[in-house]
Amino acid sequence: MNGHSMHILYNKKHKQIMAYNEATAQRIANILVQKKVAFTDKKMFSGICFMLDDKMLCGTHIDKKSGEELLLCRVGEEMYQSVIERDDCIPMEFTGKPMVGFVFVLESGSRNDKDLALLIQLCLDYNPLDKKSKKKK
């Protein structure tokens, strides 16, 4: 890790520890505020996700195996292929199968605010095209 504080949460429902880097979460929030985005955040995917219009935008968490901080970006199926070709992106896999439209960006890909803002913009560009997930009853 890069010396920033790590926030650890305990998810009672799933009986698991969820960890994310507070500084990265704050950087994401700052960029969204600068862009005047009306977002919310939600504990999800073993970390924290930022939501727009009740749809997942992006998030951050610490990988359990490697200990590396990963930025989750929802870029959609159309942008997926070009984004996944970046050296600092890997497929998002929680079940052993890649989730097309979602990528994880390694720490090296979002260290500076310019790179992070570009990635968040890709997520913002896709968000209006995405359908809202069905609410569980």
Side-chain angles (χ1 to χ4, degrees):
M1 288 236 340
N2 54 15
H4 294 291
S5 66
M6 184 173 79
H7 190 73
I8 298 177
L9 304 166
Y10 183 72
N11 182 327
K12 292 176 189 172
K13 181 179 177 185
H14 298 290
K15 295 185 172 104
Q16 66 185 13
I17 293 177
M18 304 185 330
Y20 65 93
N21 184 318
E22 284 183 46
T24 301
Q26 188 60 55
R27 287 175 57 221
I28 293 168
N30 289 346
I31 289 168
L32 292 172
V33 167
Q34 288 170 1
K35 292 179 176 284
K36 297 179 179 19
V37 175
F39 68 94
T40 58
D41 58 49
K42 184 175 186 177
K43 293 161 187 80
M44 185 186 297
F45 294 118
S46 302
I48 190 164
C49 282
F50 293 85
M51 312 285 287
L52 175 60
D53 296 328
D54 292 325
K55 298 178 278 185
M56 186 188 330
L57 191 63
C58 61
T60 183
H61 84 246
I62 309 296
D63 183 72
K64 293 173 192 167
K65 292 178 186 172
S66 69
E68 182 169 15
E69 178 181 1
L70 297 173
L71 175 69
L72 162 63
C73 292
R74 187 173 197 179
V75 297
E77 290 184 34
E78 237 177 76
M79 285 297 299
Y80 178 82
Q81 201 54 50
S82 63
V83 174
I84 201 67
E85 291 175 4
R86 293 172 45 140
D87 291 340
D88 51 20
C89 288
I90 59 174
M92 179 182 155
E93 294 181 11
F94 274 115
T95 61
K97 181 179 163 188
M99 293 179 67
V100 178
F102 295 82
V103 296
F104 279 134
V105 181
L106 305 175
E107 288 179 62
S108 59
S110 63
R111 277 197 184 117
N112 70 55
D113 287 342
K114 183 178 177 184
D115 289 340
L116 181 59
L118 175 68
L119 291 161
I120 290 172
Q121 188 59 54
L122 291 174
C123 299
L124 288 166
D125 292 345
Y126 173 67
N127 187 267
L129 306 174
D130 187 32
K131 295 178 182 153
K132 288 185 183 181
S133 58
K134 294 178 183 172
K135 298 268 185 193
K136 294 180 182 177
K137 293 181 180 182

